[in-house]
Amino acid sequence: MSTFSGEDQNASESKSKAQGFADKAAFWLTIIAITAGIITLVSWFVLGKEFVFALERMVTVMVITCPHALGLAIPLVIAVITAISAQNGLLIRNRTQFEAARNLNTVVFDKTGTLTKGEFGVADIISLGDWSQEELLRKVASIEFNSEHTIAKGIVKKAQEKEFAFSKAEQFKAIAGKGAKATVEGEEIHVGNKGILEISNAKSSEAKEKADELTSQGKTIVFVAAKREVQGIISLADIIRDESKEAVKRLKSLGLEVGMITGDNQETAKYVAEELNLDNYFAEVLPDKKSEKIKELQGHGKKVAMVGDGVNDAPALAQADVGIAIGAGTDVAVETADIVLVENDPRSVVDVLSLSRITQRKTVQNLAWATGYNIFAIPLAAGVLYRYGIVLAPAVGALIMSLSTVIVAINARLIRFTK
């Protein structure tokens, strides 16, 4: 928690390009205030007014032109945005890159652990024999119950989710490189890859066709055989997050291209890309080559955000125009990123873009008001309407100046009511 607090403080204190512009504008506005004040004093004195009157006009000009609102215009927006970001699980480590997020046109996600959960889950249960899908899953899970293999865990977890009652697996025997066999409810059952079919003497052209179809989708196949027949197939795949589909949909609705980069094979990458309706993907990319793919996109004029969580994502995060790390990822990825998502929720990337655009809009509004009102305030304070009996006292000038600061502060606070 203390680490996140430190990041939050750094985000508030770090200077952005907008803040640098505001500082320069405040400097020049100060010069203008002094210059306009001196010109006002000299002009009225030359026009024959007494020195006290001329001095009063000069003071009013300098008070009303005080760059107080301009000095607060950006910090107020930054403070509110930083607070909202933290409340929504977004930690801004680099304000300049956060502001640049509004100009992005491409978002590239790492697959494993970002778009997917990084764990095997049951994708398909296909019955090819006398057993129902429920019976097929329950019996296989009974055999795999005590196994530590990731595939076995995925099958058992699925059965547990369905609250199936497990049967006792007897005479269990692991078959190296092929699978396992055991007796469940009086039947000898073989479970494993295609090599297990040779041991069980089970053959099925339909099973082969189904297996080829599922393999082309990048799924891992588990054959189930009993009584020398293939009773069914259970396929497993890296589980795609439900949030990923919504995230991709929302990003595309904002006009961005959405892509994926992964070290997995073409079949797996294609399957995930089609499931999520991605615009493009890079498959079979070595860990040290991910940054080159980002550079390749940038070479085509793309403004790219990279979203990842692993050590091998760090170079790509650094290369991207905006690097976004999943908070549950490695320390290296988090330290390299410009923005950190506390939760493993890809929808938060949409929030990053939205907040960046809101920041830009509110910054422009505040800067426009903090400087723009002087176009009317300075001549009025100098006494251009004196002939019509309108003269501002220094106290009134101070009130107008204070009012401009209040307006800037209220406008910044209104960010909290933005959806």
Side-chain angles (χ1 to χ4, degrees):
M1 181 63 74
S2 59
T3 301
F4 289 154
S5 298
E7 297 291 355
D8 186 44
Q9 182 178 0
N10 291 337
S12 296
E13 294 177 350
S14 63
K15 283 195 174 184
S16 63
K17 288 184 178 179
Q19 182 61 57
F21 174 78
D23 291 344
K24 290 181 180 178
F27 170 77
W28 285 108
L29 190 56
T30 301
I31 300 299
I32 291 172
I34 295 173
T35 304
I38 293 173
I39 292 173
T40 299
L41 174 66
V42 173
S43 298
W44 282 115
F45 194 70
V46 170
L47 290 173
K49 288 294 181 180
E50 61 273 18
F51 179 75
V52 173
F53 179 86
L55 180 63
E56 190 177 65
R57 300 285 68 73
M58 181 189 76
V59 172
T60 304
V61 167
M62 295 180 69
V63 168
I64 210 169
T65 316
C66 176
H68 190 254
L70 187 58
L72 292 176
I74 308 304
L76 286 172
V77 173
I78 290 174
V80 175
I81 287 293
T82 300
I84 292 175
S85 299
Q87 290 167 5
N88 287 275
L90 311 177
L91 302 177
I92 302 170
R93 304 186 73 250
N94 187 321
R95 288 218 57 83
T96 301
Q97 300 310 110
F98 170 70
E99 290 176 3
R102 69 179 185 274
N103 299 318
L104 294 171
N105 51 35
T106 304
V107 177
V108 178
F109 288 91
D110 173 55
K111 182 185 81 71
T112 306
T114 305
L115 290 176
T116 65
K117 293 183 178 181
E119 60 185 50
F120 273 107
V122 173
D124 305 280
I125 302 173
I126 301 173
S127 176
L128 300 173
D130 301 330
W131 301 348
S132 65
Q133 291 183 347
E134 291 76 10
E135 190 176 8
L136 184 70
L137 177 61
R138 182 175 58 79
K139 290 182 177 181
V140 174
S142 296
I143 295 174
E144 303 284 18
F145 186 74
N146 293 315
S147 175
E148 291 297 319
H149 196 283
T150 54
I151 292 177
K153 287 182 177 180
I155 293 174
V156 172
K157 183 178 180 181
K158 185 68 173 180
Q160 289 174 332
E161 288 175 355
K162 292 182 173 293
E163 298 181 351
F164 288 161
F166 293 92
S167 299
K168 183 179 181 181
E170 300 175 323
Q171 298 177 334
F172 177 88
K173 181 181 180 181
I175 304 173
K178 296 181 179 180
K181 70 174 183 177
T183 300
V184 177
E185 299 175 7
E187 290 183 291
E188 186 178 68
I189 302 173
H190 290 76
V191 178
N193 57 31
K194 61 182 180 181
I196 205 72
L197 298 182
E198 299 175 3
I199 295 176
S200 63
N201 293 317
K203 295 181 180 179
S204 170
S205 57
E206 184 181 5
K208 185 178 183 304
E209 291 176 5
K210 289 288 184 181
D212 290 343
E213 179 184 344
L214 295 170
T215 301
S216 69
Q217 299 173 0
K219 298 176 181 177
T220 299
I221 306 301
V222 174
F223 291 97
V224 184
K227 301 177 182 178
R228 296 189 177 183
E229 294 182 1
V230 179
Q231 296 294 332
I233 294 174
I234 297 178
S235 74
L236 298 96
D238 192 356
I239 304 171
I240 298 175
R241 298 181 187 276
D242 293 333
E243 302 89 345
S244 297
K245 295 181 180 180
E246 184 180 348
V248 172
K249 183 178 179 180
R250 289 171 62 186
L251 286 169
K252 295 181 77 169
S253 70
L254 293 175
L256 284 85
E257 291 184 10
V258 185
M260 177 184 71
I261 190 166
T262 178
D264 290 349
N265 58 47
Q266 286 286 344
E267 291 78 11
T268 301
K270 182 180 179 182
Y271 170 72
V272 174
E274 290 178 348
E275 283 291 302
L276 296 176
N277 193 29
L278 300 178
D279 295 301
N280 50 63
Y281 65 90
F282 298 104
E284 300 178 13
V285 180
L286 296 175
D288 59 341
K289 301 296 182 182
K290 288 186 177 181
S291 60
E292 293 183 9
K293 296 300 181 182
I294 299 299
K295 189 181 296 185
E296 182 181 322
L297 289 172
Q298 292 171 326
H300 290 92
K302 305 289 187 182
K303 294 292 184 181
V304 185
M306 172 67 191
V307 186
D309 70 330
V311 173
N312 55 21
D313 295 325
L317 291 172
Q319 176 62 42
D321 296 281
V322 179
I324 303 175
I326 296 292
T330 63
D331 290 341
V332 175
V334 171
E335 286 298 319
T336 307
D338 303 304
I339 300 165
V340 179
L341 310 181
V342 177
E343 301 293 335
N344 285 5
D345 189 343
R347 293 175 300 183
S348 296
V349 177
V350 184
D351 296 333
V352 170
L353 299 178
S354 298
L355 283 171
S356 178
R357 294 178 181 185
I358 291 171
T359 301
Q360 167 69 2
R361 185 169 69 248
K362 288 296 181 180
T363 295
V364 171
Q365 290 173 359
N366 275 5
L367 288 176
W369 172 257
T371 56
Y373 92 100
N374 287 291
I375 296 174
F376 304 97
I378 292 176
L380 189 62
V384 295
L385 298 180
Y386 174 72
R387 69 168 61 185
Y388 301 105
I390 300 176
V391 180
L392 298 183
V396 176
L399 180 63
I400 294 175
M401 183 273 292
S402 299
L403 182 61
S404 69
T405 303
V406 171
I407 291 174
V408 166
I410 291 175
N411 188 46
R413 295 291 295 180
L414 287 176
I415 296 174
R416 293 186 176 277
F417 299 98
T418 304
K419 184 176 180 181

